[in-house]
Amino acid sequence: MRPSGRKLDAMRPIAIETGVTKHAEGSCLIRCGDTHVLCTATIEDKAPPFLKGTGLGWVTAEYGMLPRATNTRNRREAAAGKQSGRTQEIQRLVGRALRAGVDRVALGERQIVIDCDVIQADGGTRCAAITGGWVALRLAVNRLIKAGAVTGDPIVDHVAAVSCGIYAGQPVLDLDYAEDSEAGTDGNFILTGRGRLVEVQMSAEGATFSRDEMGRLLDLAETGIGELVAAQRAAT
């Protein structure tokens, strides 16, 4: 039995509310159970210096967690004077994932920055950031299309992410914190709407896993991604 009482292949409730900030070109608040992440997209009219003259656009991300997003207060990283290695790793992951769904030629020499701020954490924050970040990106690109700033749609596919793991000896979908902290195997699966793999992060946290178990986790992930993409479509 899962702590939440969910079935092995059941997602947490998913809700995506758009237009939650006044100034950003795209914004949403994504809720995956008790994990809540605010995602905003900012369009900058020039690409980073390393892309100058290439005709290519860029999508990048920043990620942060509010001090009381967890059950104890975490010190703000700005107060510490540097980002943690975890934060840097996650925001690079979010940027890589979202770029997989973008035609950078069609985007043109501009940059879209996705800011992901975790308001409340209960496992799967990076997955929620990617899934919600895509919605914010989609809304921002819609503005470019409406303004005639791009000739075609730079977004070629949905991108979403979900966690899966081996909990109490069973493969389970969409781990919350209680499961994530006790899982023998933990994995994050990033897929496109067409089911193409973008990135898979898997590790044996307390017990090794077999190739068959990895396949069963991927099967669960595909089910979860289907639900997430449906939620993205409904929101945009």
Side-chain angles (χ1 to χ4, degrees):
M1 177 67 70
R2 303 179 70 173
S4 63
R6 284 183 287 148
K7 294 181 179 179
L8 301 181
D9 60 352
M11 295 280 289
R12 291 173 288 180
I14 305 161
I16 303 176
E17 178 185 357
T18 59
V20 294
T21 67
K22 177 179 179 179
H23 301 293
E25 283 76 34
S27 68
C28 79
L29 176 62
I30 182 169
R31 298 181 179 92
C32 299
D34 285 333
T35 289
H36 303 169
V37 183
L38 173 65
C39 303
T40 59
T42 300
I43 300 171
E44 298 180 347
D45 289 330
K46 61 180 181 179
F50 67 88
L51 289 176
K52 186 176 182 180
T54 64
L56 297 174
W58 192 246
V59 176
T60 190
E62 294 189 11
Y63 169 97
M65 188 175 290
L66 296 185
R68 279 313 304 266
T70 56
N71 60 349
T72 58
R73 185 182 187 277
N74 293 308
R75 188 183 183 196
R76 294 183 189 272
E77 291 185 340
K82 64 178 182 179
Q83 290 181 314
S84 68
R86 177 183 181 274
T87 294
Q88 294 180 52
E89 184 264 327
I90 291 176
Q91 62 190 25
R92 288 170 184 155
L93 172 69
V94 176
R96 286 197 307 273
L98 296 179
R99 286 194 295 274
V102 173
D103 180 344
R104 292 169 52 210
V105 174
L107 183 59
E109 280 197 39
R110 57 176 55 85
Q111 174 169 259
I112 301 181
V113 181
I114 309 298
D115 286 293
C116 304
D117 293 286
V118 179
I119 298 172
Q120 184 171 282
D122 187 39
T125 61
R126 70 186 66 195
C127 294
I130 290 167
T131 304
W134 185 92
V135 172
L137 175 63
R138 172 75 271 177
L139 296 172
V141 168
N142 287 349
R143 286 204 182 191
L144 289 174
I145 294 171
K146 186 175 181 180
V150 292
T151 56
D153 188 352
I155 295 184
V156 297
D157 205 349
H158 289 254
V159 176
V162 70
S163 64
C164 300
I166 307 293
Y167 173 78
Q170 295 287 334
V172 297
L173 173 63
D174 191 22
L175 288 79
D176 56 27
Y177 179 76
E179 294 167 331
D180 186 37
S181 60
E182 298 291 333
T185 297
D186 182 21
N188 298 303
F189 296 80
I190 308 167
L191 282 77
T192 68
R194 296 183 180 92
R196 302 285 293 178
L197 289 166
V198 177
E199 190 159 339
V200 175
Q201 299 178 326
M202 287 195 67
S203 59
E205 302 286 349
T208 58
F209 56 95
S210 68
R211 183 170 180 171
D212 177 65
E213 286 173 324
M214 182 175 180
R216 291 167 68 187
L217 292 178
L218 179 56
D219 289 341
L220 286 173
E222 289 176 339
T223 298
I225 294 295
E227 293 188 33
L228 292 167
V229 168
Q232 289 176 330
R233 287 199 177 100
T236 57

